[in-house]
Each structure stands twice: as C-alpha cells, then as structure tokens.
Amino acid sequence: MADQPSADPAEPPGARAAGSGTERPAPAAGMAAPASTVNPAGPAGTAGTSHLAGVPNAAGRRPPVRVLLADPAPLQRAGLRTLLTTPDAGATAAAAAAGSAAEIVIAGEAADGVDALDLARRLLPDVLVTELALPRLDGLAVIRAITEARLPVRILVVTDEDTDDRIVAAAGAGATGYLCKDAPHDQLTAAVRTVAAGGAVIAPQLLARVLRRLTEALPARSGSGTAALDALTSREREVLVHVARGLANTEIAEVLQVSETTVKTHVGHVLTKLRLRDRTQAVVLAYETGLVKPGGPQDGR
C-alpha cells in the first residue's frame, strides 16, 4: 500500500471502501480473503480527526470515536466490529440522546502489521485496537512506529497474550490500553472511549500483577522518587493522583471543577517536572512512591 492518500488507494483484491458503493473483484477460489477494509471519511462522510475524541464540542455533542482494527483473524475483527458498534447493553435512550457516550465507528480494518501501520498513517483514527501477534510486522513494531512518528493515534491492545513481559513491552512502546480478548462488552467499549479521551486502561486483573514490572521499566533516578514529588504543587499532585487512578482529562476536569485545558496544563507540568515521557510513566511513579496504592484510598497530600 502506498503511504500517500489518493483518489483510489490501492487495496487488496476484494477489499471495499465503506460507503463507496463500489467493490473490487472478489479473489478467485482458494485465494486469501480481503486483508483490509477502509472507511476514510467516517460517518456521514465527515473526516474524523477530532482529538481528544469523544469530548463534547461547542454544541454539546460528542463527535464519534474513529477506530482502526488490526487482527489477523477475520472472525475476531468481525466480533470486535460488532461489539464496538453495538450500543452498550446498559446504555439508556436518554443517555444516548444526551450525548453522554460518544458513538464508536470503524474507520478501517487490517489483517497484518504493514497494512495496520499504513492505514494508521493515512486515516489517522482516534484509536488503533490491535492484536500483538500480527503477520508481516509485529504489533509491538506497529506501536513503536506510530509513537515515534508522533501520529495522533492512541493505541489499545486487545490480545490473548497476558504475560508480564508483553504488557510491559506494549506500554513501553506507547500503548495506553491493554485488555484480554475475553473482556466484557462494556469494558471494551469503555476502554476505547477512555483511551480516545487521553486516559490509560489496563485490565484490572492484570494491573496488580504487572505493577512491579512497570516500576522496573522506569528510568533510573537520582535520589528518592518521593523527593521528586516535592517539585509539584498541591494541585499538580492531586492531578497526578487522578491520572494514576485511570481518569481521563475530561473526568479529572469534572472532579476538580476546572476546565479540561487547565487539566492538560497541569499534566504537562507534572511530566516536565518529573522528567517523564508520558502518562504511563506518571502512573508507575505514583504507585512507586506510594502516592497511590492499589486498592487503597487516594492520597493527594
């Protein structure tokens, strides 16, 4: 696939651009099924490059969250597509009308890492939902490439691989979400929306187990980590606590009764003062220093 968009981007035989009304010839008998599907425009023909995704606009409406799926198994992609585009079982009509949960739409699909990276570059989805075991280019390599290119694409890993090494490696590469494939429907959709809004998600059953390993992934520091927190103001420490608890910027703004812009400024100050690369390292530091304890009360003092 070419990296540059065109009026008729090259796609594997049988692949169809959603909403185009045209379909390329199906593969001959015995040939592989289509490897990728593209919906460049998103719903109603509108470009979907709003970040942070799912945040209400001036009219109070939440723009849809555009998702790119990457998994080598067609049935798995079909299952994810169905789960993500089907309203949560617990959602009420009133909540939907109020725009309390952003709609999730599928911008494209890929069966291997090369196509996943190409589509991420061309479509700039809000979230890439990816398996780690991808042919042609491993999922970790895809995550690193997206992170190093600073694409405005957030990454949620959904996989059967739940070993400590793989989780730590995914977080280190730049993923901000990690779920197992047996995650419930509501947990999956909530994770997509949280990651799209700038938050971080790790399946609860995995978090406690890998926390120690994540701590080991922190860069070496001079002096104690607790002393490093002294550089933060009381409000910045409070924001760090909420970040460590997994809240997105919009949720922190609601809790603290401030604007989302103010929260983003505080988060930026925290990362700069503590010399951290991203929110994931901030979460690890908060637990490492005892500012937040697994299952314990919040301690913003």
Side-chain angles (χ1 to χ4, degrees):
M1 269 188 198
D3 282 349
Q4 298 300 320
S6 63
D8 183 17
E11 295 169 6
R16 180 172 62 85
S20 68
T22 62
E23 184 168 337
R24 298 191 181 278
M31 291 182 65
S36 63
T37 305
V38 183
N39 180 6
T46 58
T49 56
S50 173
H51 297 279
L52 294 168
V55 176
N57 57 25
R61 304 286 299 178
R62 294 179 184 268
V65 176
R66 297 172 66 253
V67 172
L68 171 63
L69 302 177
D71 194 289
L75 286 178
Q76 183 65 32
R77 295 197 306 275
L80 287 170
R81 185 191 321 123
T82 299
L83 288 174
L84 291 175
T85 57
T86 300
D88 297 352
T92 64
S100 59
E103 177 190 9
I104 297 174
V105 297
I106 305 303
E109 300 179 17
D112 62 61
V114 171
D115 280 350
L117 182 55
D118 176 68
L119 291 179
R121 287 169 173 160
R122 292 198 288 122
L123 303 181
L124 295 181
D126 300 305
V127 180
L128 166 64
V129 176
T130 184
E131 166 66 83
L132 290 180
L134 295 176
R136 299 178 68 195
L137 187 65
D138 181 71
L140 288 177
V142 173
I143 296 171
R144 285 192 207 97
I146 290 174
T147 301
E148 291 171 0
R150 299 190 176 184
L151 298 181
V153 178
R154 292 168 178 82
I155 301 163
L156 170 64
V157 174
V158 178
T159 181
D160 287 324
E161 301 183 49
D162 62 352
T163 63
D164 294 357
D165 287 341
R166 293 295 267 177
I167 298 171
V168 171
T176 54
Y178 202 105
L179 294 180
C180 293
K181 285 186 175 179
D182 59 359
H185 178 196
D186 57 347
Q187 188 178 104
L188 174 63
T189 53
V192 167
R193 293 186 177 110
T194 297
V195 169
V201 176
I202 297 181
Q205 68 270 29
L206 303 178
L207 180 58
R209 197 188 79 210
V210 302
L211 193 55
R212 179 180 59 82
R213 294 294 306 276
L214 285 173
T215 299
E216 294 171 356
L218 276 174
R221 302 175 186 281
S222 57
S224 82
T226 303
L229 296 179
D230 293 341
L232 304 181
T233 65
S234 58
R235 178 47 65 96
E236 288 166 353
R237 289 168 67 97
E238 190 175 6
V239 168
L240 177 55
V241 167
H242 291 305
V243 168
R245 292 295 183 189
L247 273 63
N249 289 345
T250 51
E251 297 170 313
I252 298 174
E254 292 176 7
V255 171
L256 300 183
Q257 304 263 309
V258 297
S259 71
E260 184 184 350
T261 300
T262 299
V263 173
K264 290 172 68 175
T265 298
H266 286 314
V267 171
H269 288 167
V270 168
L271 297 181
T272 299
K273 289 181 178 181
L274 300 180
R275 298 181 181 180
L276 301 173
R277 183 186 64 218
D278 52 31
R279 293 171 76 104
T280 302
Q281 287 194 344
V283 171
V284 174
L285 179 64
Y287 280 94
E288 180 188 46
T289 59
L291 185 65
V292 176
K293 295 181 174 60
Q298 295 184 7
D299 180 8
R301 295 175 298 172

